[in-house]
Amino acid sequence: MLIEIRISPGKWKLKSVLHDIRHRFGHGLKIPRIPHITLYGPFEAREEKVEEIREVICGVLQGVLPPKYWVDGFENLTSRKGKVIYYKINAAP
């Protein structure tokens, strides 16, 4: 299980960039599902706990405005699973 933020505003633009990269650098490149930010995970939870986890997250976020953030360049690294290029996201105070 993952806890993540799915990026709605601008999602189409991010997907467009990914498809452009795929077109330029090879049709075999895997295009990930909807662009997202993983907050926590992966972890395991029993199926009967999923609704309780969702309720806790909703309770924490109740009344909280969406976070403001900006993209502050990008970095790249090599991990056990391969190379990664990622955008640095900074949240407003």
Side-chain angles (χ1 to χ4, degrees), residues 13-23 31-33 35:
K13 190 168 186 173
L14 289 171
K15 288 183 95 171
S16 174
V17 168
L18 295 174
H19 285 284
D20 185 42
I21 290 169
R22 182 179 185 185
H23 177 73
I31 300 298
R33 56 187 171 48

Side-chain angles (χ1 to χ4, degrees), residues 36-48:
H36 64 281
I37 298 170
T38 300
L39 299 176
Y40 185 75
F43 67 99
E44 291 190 32
R46 294 189 313 267
E47 186 64 34
E48 64 270 14

Side-chain angles (χ1 to χ4, degrees), residues 1 4 7 14 24-25 28-29 36 39 43 49 54 56 59 62 64 67 70 76 79 84:
M1 174 179 286
E4 60 186 35
I7 303 168
L14 289 171
R24 290 182 187 201
F25 298 104
L29 294 176
H36 64 281
L39 299 176
F43 67 99
K49 293 293 185 180
R54 191 189 73 75
V56 168
Q62 188 173 8
V64 176
W70 68 94
N76 59 298
S79 72
V84 176

Side-chain angles (χ1 to χ4, degrees), residues 58-71:
C58 289
V60 169
L61 296 176
Q62 188 173 8
V64 176
L65 295 173
K68 295 183 181 190
Y69 61 89
W70 68 94
V71 177

